Amino acid sequence: MYVGRDMSELDMIAKKEWKDSELAYFHQSFQQITPYLNEEGTTIHREIIKEIEARGGLKSDEASYERGTTPKVD
């Protein structure tokens, strides 16, 4: 469950100042409603994607051959 700033607050600050968890959450949210986004929503989603790419992508919490996982406490 996402606990953090909502879009009305985040809209007032640059994407560079967003936390990784905020970028990940809103990217997933926008991804699910992509067919219904208007031009403004599409632009915001594109900016989120560009910021994620600029940071080197999202970190995956899944295990792979190179690394395991560590438990996260909620």
Side-chain angles (χ1 to χ4, degrees):
M1 175 180 215
Y2 172 74
V3 178
R5 300 179 285 188
D6 63 2
M7 185 54 97
S8 61
E9 184 177 351
L10 291 170
D11 198 35
M12 306 270 189
I13 61 174
K15 305 285 184 286
K16 292 180 184 204
E17 297 177 27
W18 288 27
K19 298 175 188 172
D20 288 346
S21 61
E22 293 165 339
L23 287 169
Y25 175 77
F26 285 105
H27 172 57
Q28 181 184 20
S29 297
F30 276 84
Q31 205 170 27
Q32 292 175 350
I33 61 169
T34 296
Y36 310 105
L37 291 175
N38 62 11
E39 188 174 336
E40 183 180 0
T42 303
T43 301
I44 293 169
H45 189 209
R46 192 177 307 122
E47 290 171 355
I48 290 171
I49 292 169
K50 285 182 182 179
E51 182 58 30
I52 290 169
E53 290 172 348
R55 294 184 187 191
L58 296 173
K59 295 177 182 78
S60 175
D61 290 334
E62 296 179 7
S64 69
Y65 287 107
E66 289 97 26
R67 60 180 172 71
T69 59
T70 56
K72 289 190 172 190
V73 179
D74 258 345

Coordinates of all heavy atoms in Angstrom, one line a residue:
M1 N 0.8 -1.2 0.0 CA 0.0 0.0 0.0 C 0.9 1.2 0.0 O 1.9 1.3 0.7 CB -0.9 0.0 1.2 CG -1.7 1.2 1.4 SD -2.7 1.1 2.8 CE -4.2 1.9 2.2
Y2 N 0.5 2.2 -0.8 CA 1.3 3.4 -0.9 C 0.9 4.4 0.2 O -0.3 4.7 0.4 CB 1.0 4.1 -2.3 CG 1.6 5.5 -2.5 CD1 3.0 5.6 -2.6 CD2 0.8 6.6 -2.4 CE1 3.5 6.9 -2.8 CE2 1.3 7.9 -2.6 CZ 2.7 8.0 -2.8 OH 3.2 9.3 -2.9
V3 N 1.9 4.9 0.9 CA 1.7 5.9 1.9 C 2.7 7.0 1.5 O 3.9 6.8 1.6 CB 2.0 5.4 3.3 CG1 1.8 6.5 4.3 CG2 1.1 4.2 3.6
G4 N 2.1 8.1 1.1 CA 3.0 9.2 0.7 C 2.2 10.4 0.2 O 1.0 10.5 0.4
R5 N 2.9 11.3 -0.4 CA 2.2 12.5 -0.9 C 1.3 12.2 -2.1 O 1.6 11.3 -2.9 CB 3.3 13.5 -1.4 CG 4.2 13.9 -0.3 CD 5.3 14.9 -0.7 NE 6.3 14.2 -1.5 CZ 7.5 14.7 -1.9 NH1 7.7 16.0 -1.6 NH2 8.3 14.0 -2.6
D6 N 0.2 12.9 -2.2 CA -0.7 12.6 -3.3 C -0.4 13.5 -4.5 O 0.5 14.3 -4.4 CB -2.2 12.9 -2.8 CG -2.5 14.3 -2.4 OD1 -1.6 15.2 -2.5 OD2 -3.6 14.6 -2.1
M7 N -1.0 13.2 -5.6 CA -0.7 13.9 -6.9 C -0.9 15.4 -6.8 O -0.1 16.1 -7.4 CB -1.5 13.3 -8.0 CG -1.1 13.8 -9.3 SD 0.6 13.6 -9.7 CE 0.6 12.2 -10.7
S8 N -1.8 15.9 -6.0 CA -2.0 17.3 -6.0 C -0.8 18.0 -5.3 O -0.5 19.1 -5.7 CB -3.3 17.7 -5.2 OG -3.2 17.2 -3.9
E9 N -0.2 17.4 -4.4 CA 1.0 17.9 -3.8 C 2.2 17.7 -4.7 O 3.0 18.6 -4.9 CB 1.3 17.2 -2.4 CG 2.5 17.8 -1.7 CD 2.7 17.2 -0.3 OE1 1.8 16.4 0.2 OE2 3.7 17.5 0.3
L10 N 2.4 16.5 -5.3 CA 3.5 16.3 -6.1 C 3.5 17.1 -7.4 O 4.5 17.4 -8.0 CB 3.5 14.8 -6.5 CG 3.9 13.8 -5.3 CD1 3.6 12.4 -5.7 CD2 5.3 14.0 -4.9
D11 N 2.3 17.5 -7.9 CA 2.2 18.3 -9.1 C 2.9 19.6 -8.9 O 3.2 20.2 -9.9 CB 0.7 18.4 -9.4 CG 0.5 18.8 -10.9 OD1 1.3 18.4 -11.7 OD2 -0.4 19.6 -11.1
M12 N 3.1 20.1 -7.7 CA 3.6 21.4 -7.4 C 5.2 21.4 -7.4 O 5.8 22.4 -7.4 CB 3.1 21.9 -6.1 CG 1.7 21.9 -5.9 SD 1.0 23.5 -6.5 CE -0.6 23.4 -5.9
I13 N 5.8 20.2 -7.4 CA 7.2 20.1 -7.4 C 7.8 19.3 -8.6 O 7.1 18.6 -9.2 CB 7.7 19.4 -6.1 CG1 7.2 18.0 -6.0 CG2 7.3 20.2 -4.8 CD1 7.7 17.2 -4.8
A14 N 9.0 19.6 -8.9 CA 9.7 18.9 -10.0 C 9.8 17.4 -9.8 O 9.9 17.0 -8.7 CB 11.1 19.5 -10.2
K15 N 9.7 16.7 -10.9 CA 9.8 15.2 -10.8 C 11.2 14.8 -10.2 O 11.2 13.7 -9.6 CB 9.7 14.6 -12.2 CG 8.4 15.0 -13.0 CD 7.2 14.3 -12.4 CE 5.9 14.6 -13.2 NZ 5.3 15.9 -13.1
K16 N 12.2 15.6 -10.4 CA 13.5 15.3 -9.8 C 13.5 15.2 -8.3 O 14.3 14.6 -7.7 CB 14.6 16.3 -10.3 CG 14.8 16.2 -11.7 CD 15.9 17.2 -12.2 CE 16.0 17.1 -13.7 NZ 17.2 17.5 -14.2
E17 N 12.5 15.8 -7.7 CA 12.4 15.9 -6.2 C 11.5 14.8 -5.7 O 11.4 14.6 -4.5 CB 11.9 17.2 -5.8 CG 12.9 18.4 -6.1 CD 12.3 19.7 -5.7 OE1 11.5 19.8 -4.8 OE2 12.7 20.7 -6.4
W18 N 10.9 14.0 -6.6 CA 10.0 12.9 -6.2 C 10.9 11.7 -5.6 O 12.0 11.5 -6.1 CB 9.2 12.4 -7.3 CG 8.1 13.2 -7.8 CD1 8.0 14.6 -7.7 CD2 6.9 12.8 -8.5 NE1 6.9 15.1 -8.3 CE2 6.2 14.0 -8.8 CE3 6.5 11.6 -8.9 CZ2 5.0 13.9 -9.5 CZ3 5.3 11.6 -9.6 CH2 4.5 12.7 -9.9
K19 N 10.4 11.0 -4.7 CA 11.0 9.8 -4.2 C 10.8 8.7 -5.2 O 9.9 8.7 -6.0 CB 10.4 9.3 -2.9 CG 10.6 10.3 -1.8 CD 9.8 9.9 -0.5 CE 9.8 10.9 0.6 NZ 9.0 10.5 1.7
D20 N 11.7 7.7 -5.2 CA 11.6 6.5 -6.1 C 10.2 5.8 -5.9 O 9.6 5.4 -6.9 CB 12.7 5.5 -5.9 CG 14.0 6.0 -6.4 OD1 14.0 7.0 -7.2 OD2 15.1 5.4 -6.1
S21 N 9.8 5.7 -4.6 CA 8.5 5.0 -4.4 C 7.3 5.8 -5.0 O 6.4 5.2 -5.4 CB 8.3 4.8 -2.9 OG 8.3 6.1 -2.2
E22 N 7.4 7.1 -5.0 CA 6.3 7.9 -5.6 C 6.3 7.7 -7.1 O 5.3 7.6 -7.7 CB 6.5 9.4 -5.2 CG 6.3 9.6 -3.7 CD 6.8 11.0 -3.2 OE1 7.7 11.6 -3.9 OE2 6.4 11.4 -2.2
L23 N 7.5 7.7 -7.7 CA 7.6 7.5 -9.2 C 7.0 6.2 -9.5 O 6.2 6.0 -10.5 CB 9.0 7.6 -9.6 CG 9.6 9.1 -9.7 CD1 11.1 9.0 -9.9 CD2 8.9 9.9 -10.7
A24 N 7.4 5.1 -8.8 CA 7.0 3.8 -9.1 C 5.5 3.7 -8.9 O 4.8 3.1 -9.8 CB 7.7 2.8 -8.1
Y25 N 4.9 4.2 -7.8 CA 3.5 4.1 -7.6 C 2.7 4.8 -8.7 O 1.7 4.2 -9.2 CB 3.1 4.7 -6.2 CG 1.6 4.7 -6.0 CD1 1.0 3.5 -5.6 CD2 0.9 5.9 -6.2 CE1 -0.4 3.5 -5.4 CE2 -0.5 5.9 -6.0 CZ -1.1 4.7 -5.6 OH -2.5 4.7 -5.4
F26 N 3.0 6.0 -9.0 CA 2.2 6.8 -10.0 C 2.5 6.2 -11.4 O 1.6 6.3 -12.2 CB 2.5 8.3 -9.8 CG 1.7 8.8 -8.6 CD1 2.5 9.2 -7.5 CD2 0.4 9.0 -8.6 CE1 1.8 9.7 -6.4 CE2 -0.3 9.5 -7.5 CZ 0.4 9.8 -6.4
H27 N 3.7 5.7 -11.7 CA 3.9 5.1 -13.0 C 2.9 3.9 -13.1 O 2.3 3.7 -14.2 CB 5.3 4.6 -13.1 CG 5.6 3.8 -14.3 ND1 5.3 4.3 -15.6 CD2 6.1 2.6 -14.5 CE1 5.6 3.3 -16.5 NE2 6.1 2.3 -15.8
Q28 N 2.9 3.0 -12.1 CA 2.0 1.9 -12.2 C 0.5 2.3 -12.3 O -0.3 1.8 -13.1 CB 2.1 1.0 -11.0 CG 1.2 -0.2 -11.0 CD 1.3 -1.1 -9.7 OE1 1.8 -0.6 -8.7 NE2 0.9 -2.3 -9.8
S29 N 0.1 3.4 -11.5 CA -1.3 3.8 -11.6 C -1.6 4.4 -13.0 O -2.7 4.0 -13.5 CB -1.5 5.0 -10.6 OG -1.3 4.5 -9.3
F30 N -0.7 5.2 -13.5 CA -1.0 5.7 -14.9 C -1.0 4.7 -15.9 O -1.7 4.7 -16.9 CB 0.1 6.8 -15.2 CG -0.3 8.2 -14.7 CD1 0.0 8.5 -13.4 CD2 -0.9 9.1 -15.5 CE1 -0.3 9.8 -12.9 CE2 -1.2 10.4 -15.0 CZ -0.9 10.7 -13.7
Q31 N -0.1 3.7 -15.7 CA 0.0 2.6 -16.7 C -1.3 1.8 -16.8 O -1.8 1.4 -17.9 CB 1.1 1.6 -16.2 CG 1.7 0.8 -17.3 CD 3.0 0.1 -16.8 OE1 3.1 -0.2 -15.6 NE2 3.9 -0.2 -17.7
Q32 N -2.0 1.7 -15.6 CA -3.3 0.9 -15.6 C -4.4 1.7 -16.3 O -5.4 1.1 -16.8 CB -3.7 0.6 -14.2 CG -2.7 -0.4 -13.5 CD -3.0 -0.7 -12.1 OE1 -3.8 0.0 -11.5 NE2 -2.4 -1.7 -11.5
I33 N -4.3 3.0 -16.3 CA -5.4 3.8 -16.9 C -5.0 4.5 -18.2 O -5.7 5.4 -18.6 CB -5.9 4.9 -15.8 CG1 -4.8 5.8 -15.4 CG2 -6.6 4.2 -14.6 CD1 -5.3 7.1 -14.7
T34 N -3.9 4.1 -18.8 CA -3.4 4.7 -20.0 C -4.5 4.9 -21.1 O -4.6 5.9 -21.7 CB -2.2 3.8 -20.6 OG1 -1.2 3.9 -19.6 CG2 -1.8 4.4 -21.9
P35 N -5.4 3.9 -21.3 CA -6.3 4.1 -22.4 C -7.3 5.3 -22.1 O -7.9 5.8 -23.1 CB -7.1 2.8 -22.5 CG -6.3 1.8 -21.8 CD -5.4 2.5 -20.8
Y36 N -7.4 5.7 -20.9 CA -8.4 6.7 -20.5 C -7.8 8.1 -20.3 O -8.5 9.0 -19.9 CB -9.2 6.2 -19.3 CG -9.7 4.8 -19.4 CD1 -9.1 3.8 -18.7 CD2 -10.8 4.5 -20.2 CE1 -9.6 2.5 -18.9 CE2 -11.2 3.2 -20.4 CZ -10.6 2.2 -19.7 OH -11.1 0.9 -19.9
L37 N -6.5 8.2 -20.4 CA -5.8 9.4 -20.1 C -6.1 10.5 -21.2 O -6.0 10.1 -22.4 CB -4.3 9.2 -19.9 CG -3.8 8.5 -18.7 CD1 -2.3 8.2 -18.8 CD2 -4.2 9.2 -17.4
N38 N -6.3 11.7 -20.8 CA -6.3 12.8 -21.8 C -4.9 13.3 -22.1 O -3.9 12.7 -21.6 CB -7.2 13.9 -21.3 CG -6.7 14.6 -20.0 OD1 -5.6 14.3 -19.6 ND2 -7.5 15.4 -19.4
E39 N -4.7 14.3 -22.8 CA -3.4 14.8 -23.2 C -2.6 15.2 -22.0 O -1.4 14.9 -22.0 CB -3.6 16.0 -24.2 CG -2.3 16.4 -24.8 CD -2.5 17.5 -25.8 OE1 -3.6 17.6 -26.4 OE2 -1.5 18.3 -26.1
E40 N -3.2 15.8 -21.0 CA -2.4 16.3 -19.8 C -1.9 15.0 -19.0 O -0.8 15.0 -18.6 CB -3.3 17.1 -19.0 CG -2.6 17.7 -17.7 CD -3.5 18.5 -16.9 OE1 -4.7 18.7 -17.2 OE2 -3.0 19.0 -15.8
G41 N -2.8 14.0 -18.9 CA -2.4 12.8 -18.2 C -1.3 12.1 -18.9 O -0.4 11.6 -18.3
T42 N -1.4 12.0 -20.2 CA -0.3 11.4 -21.0 C 1.0 12.1 -20.8 O 2.0 11.5 -20.7 CB -0.7 11.3 -22.5 OG1 -2.0 10.7 -22.6 CG2 0.3 10.6 -23.3
T43 N 1.0 13.4 -20.8 CA 2.2 14.2 -20.6 C 2.8 14.0 -19.3 O 4.0 13.8 -19.2 CB 1.9 15.7 -20.8 OG1 1.3 15.9 -22.1 CG2 3.1 16.6 -20.6
I44 N 2.0 13.9 -18.2 CA 2.5 13.7 -16.9 C 3.1 12.3 -16.8 O 4.2 12.1 -16.3 CB 1.4 13.8 -15.8 CG1 0.9 15.3 -15.7 CG2 1.8 13.3 -14.5 CD1 -0.4 15.5 -14.9
H45 N 2.4 11.3 -17.4 CA 3.0 9.9 -17.4 C 4.3 9.9 -18.1 O 5.3 9.2 -17.7 CB 2.0 9.0 -18.0 CG 2.3 7.5 -17.8 ND1 2.0 6.6 -18.7 CD2 3.1 6.9 -16.9 CE1 2.4 5.4 -18.3 NE2 3.1 5.6 -17.2
R46 N 4.4 10.5 -19.3 CA 5.6 10.6 -20.0 C 6.8 11.2 -19.2 O 7.9 10.7 -19.2 CB 5.4 11.4 -21.3 CG 6.6 11.2 -22.3 CD 6.3 11.9 -23.6 NE 5.0 11.5 -24.2 CZ 4.0 12.4 -24.5 NH1 4.2 13.7 -24.3 NH2 2.9 11.9 -25.1
E47 N 6.5 12.3 -18.5 CA 7.5 12.9 -17.6 C 7.9 12.0 -16.5 O 9.1 12.0 -16.2 CB 6.9 14.2 -17.0 CG 6.7 15.3 -18.0 CD 5.9 16.5 -17.4 OE1 5.5 16.4 -16.3 OE2 5.8 17.5 -18.2
I48 N 7.0 11.2 -16.0 CA 7.4 10.2 -14.9 C 8.3 9.2 -15.5 O 9.3 8.8 -14.9 CB 6.1 9.6 -14.3 CG1 5.3 10.6 -13.5 CG2 6.4 8.4 -13.5 CD1 4.0 10.2 -13.0
I49 N 8.0 8.7 -16.7 CA 8.8 7.7 -17.3 C 10.2 8.2 -17.6 O 11.2 7.6 -17.4 CB 8.2 7.2 -18.7 CG1 6.9 6.4 -18.3 CG2 9.1 6.4 -19.5 CD1 6.0 6.1 -19.5
K50 N 10.3 9.5 -18.1 CA 11.6 10.1 -18.4 C 12.4 10.2 -17.1 O 13.6 10.0 -17.1 CB 11.4 11.5 -19.1 CG 11.0 11.4 -20.5 CD 10.9 12.7 -21.1 CE 10.4 12.6 -22.6 NZ 10.3 13.9 -23.2
E51 N 11.8 10.6 -16.0 CA 12.5 10.7 -14.7 C 13.0 9.4 -14.2 O 14.1 9.2 -13.7 CB 11.7 11.4 -13.7 CG 12.4 11.6 -12.4 CD 13.6 12.4 -12.4 OE1 13.7 13.3 -13.3 OE2 14.5 12.2 -11.6
I52 N 12.2 8.3 -14.4 CA 12.6 7.0 -14.0 C 13.8 6.5 -14.8 O 14.8 6.0 -14.3 CB 11.4 6.0 -14.1 CG1 10.4 6.2 -13.1 CG2 11.9 4.5 -14.1 CD1 9.1 5.5 -13.3
E53 N 13.8 6.8 -16.1 CA 14.9 6.4 -17.0 C 16.1 7.2 -16.7 O 17.2 6.7 -16.7 CB 14.5 6.7 -18.5 CG 13.5 5.7 -19.0 CD 13.0 6.0 -20.4 OE1 13.2 7.1 -20.9 OE2 12.3 5.1 -21.0
A54 N 16.0 8.5 -16.3 CA 17.1 9.4 -16.0 C 17.8 8.9 -14.7 O 19.0 9.0 -14.5 CB 16.7 10.8 -15.8
R55 N 17.0 8.2 -13.8 CA 17.6 7.7 -12.6 C 18.1 6.3 -12.8 O 18.6 5.6 -11.8 CB 16.5 7.6 -11.5 CG 16.1 9.0 -11.0 CD 15.1 9.0 -9.9 NE 14.6 10.3 -9.6 CZ 13.8 10.5 -8.5 NH1 13.6 9.5 -7.6 NH2 13.4 11.7 -8.3
G56 N 18.1 5.7 -13.9 CA 18.6 4.4 -14.2 C 17.6 3.3 -14.0 O 17.9 2.1 -13.9
G57 N 16.3 3.6 -14.0 CA 15.2 2.6 -13.9 C 14.9 2.4 -12.5 O 15.5 2.9 -11.5
L58 N 13.8 1.6 -12.3 CA 13.3 1.2 -11.0 C 14.1 0.0 -10.5 O 14.4 -0.9 -11.3 CB 11.8 0.9 -11.0 CG 10.9 2.1 -11.4 CD1 9.5 1.6 -11.6 CD2 11.0 3.2 -10.4
K59 N 14.3 0.0 -9.2 CA 15.0 -1.2 -8.6 C 14.0 -2.3 -8.4 O 12.9 -2.1 -8.0 CB 15.6 -0.8 -7.3 CG 16.7 0.2 -7.4 CD 17.2 0.6 -6.0 CE 18.3 1.7 -6.2 NZ 17.7 3.0 -6.4
S60 N 14.3 -3.5 -8.8 CA 13.4 -4.6 -8.7 C 13.6 -5.3 -7.4 O 14.8 -5.5 -6.9 CB 13.7 -5.6 -9.8 OG 12.9 -6.8 -9.7
D61 N 12.6 -5.7 -6.7 CA 12.6 -6.5 -5.5 C 12.6 -8.0 -5.7 O 12.5 -8.7 -4.7 CB 11.5 -6.0 -4.5 CG 11.7 -4.6 -4.1 OD1 12.9 -4.1 -4.0 OD2 10.7 -4.0 -3.7
E62 N 12.6 -8.4 -7.0 CA 12.5 -9.8 -7.2 C 13.9 -10.5 -7.2 O 14.9 -9.8 -7.5 CB 11.8 -10.0 -8.6 CG 10.4 -9.6 -8.7 CD 9.8 -9.7 -10.0 OE1 10.4 -10.4 -10.9 OE2 8.7 -9.3 -10.2
A63 N 13.9 -11.7 -6.9 CA 15.2 -12.5 -6.9 C 15.6 -12.8 -8.3 O 14.7 -12.9 -9.2 CB 15.0 -13.7 -6.1
S64 N 16.9 -12.9 -8.5 CA 17.4 -13.3 -9.8 C 18.6 -14.2 -9.6 O 19.0 -14.5 -8.4 CB 17.8 -12.1 -10.6 OG 18.9 -11.4 -10.1
Y65 N 19.3 -14.6 -10.6 CA 20.4 -15.4 -10.5 C 21.6 -14.7 -9.8 O 22.4 -15.2 -9.2 CB 20.9 -16.0 -11.8 CG 20.0 -17.1 -12.4 CD1 19.1 -16.8 -13.4 CD2 20.0 -18.3 -11.8 CE1 18.3 -17.9 -13.9 CE2 19.2 -19.3 -12.2 CZ 18.3 -19.1 -13.3 OH 17.5 -20.1 -13.7
E66 N 21.6 -13.4 -10.1 CA 22.7 -12.6 -9.5 C 22.5 -12.2 -8.0 O 23.5 -11.9 -7.3 CB 22.9 -11.3 -10.3 CG 23.5 -11.5 -11.7 CD 22.4 -11.6 -12.8 OE1 21.3 -11.0 -12.6 OE2 22.7 -12.3 -13.8
R67 N 21.3 -12.1 -7.6 CA 21.0 -11.6 -6.2 C 19.8 -12.2 -5.7 O 18.9 -12.6 -6.4 CB 20.9 -10.1 -6.2 CG 19.8 -9.6 -7.1 CD 19.8 -8.1 -7.0 NE 18.8 -7.6 -8.0 CZ 17.5 -7.7 -7.9 NH1 17.0 -8.3 -6.9 NH2 16.7 -7.2 -8.8
G68 N 19.7 -12.2 -4.4 CA 18.5 -12.7 -3.7 C 17.7 -11.6 -3.3 O 17.9 -10.4 -3.7
T69 N 16.7 -11.8 -2.4 CA 15.9 -10.8 -1.9 C 16.1 -10.6 -0.4 O 16.6 -11.5 0.3 CB 14.4 -11.1 -2.1 OG1 14.1 -12.3 -1.4 CG2 14.0 -11.2 -3.6
T70 N 15.8 -9.5 0.1 CA 15.9 -9.2 1.5 C 14.5 -8.9 2.0 O 13.7 -8.3 1.3 CB 16.8 -8.1 1.9 OG1 16.3 -6.9 1.2 CG2 18.2 -8.3 1.5
P71 N 14.1 -9.4 3.2 CA 12.7 -9.2 3.7 C 12.5 -7.7 3.9 O 13.4 -7.0 4.4 CB 12.6 -10.0 4.9 CG 13.9 -10.6 5.2 CD 14.8 -10.3 4.1
K72 N 11.3 -7.2 3.6 CA 11.0 -5.8 3.9 C 9.9 -5.8 4.9 O 8.9 -6.6 4.8 CB 10.5 -5.1 2.6 CG 11.6 -4.9 1.7 CD 11.1 -4.0 0.6 CE 12.2 -3.5 -0.3 NZ 11.9 -2.5 -1.2
V73 N 10.0 -5.0 5.9 CA 9.0 -5.0 7.0 C 8.1 -3.8 6.7 O 8.6 -2.7 6.5 CB 9.7 -4.8 8.4 CG1 8.7 -4.7 9.5 CG2 10.7 -6.0 8.6
D74 N 6.8 -4.0 6.7 CA 5.8 -3.0 6.5 C 5.5 -2.3 7.8 O 5.4 -2.8 8.8 CB 4.6 -3.5 5.9 CG 4.5 -3.2 4.4 OD1 5.3 -2.3 3.9 OD2 3.7 -3.8 3.7

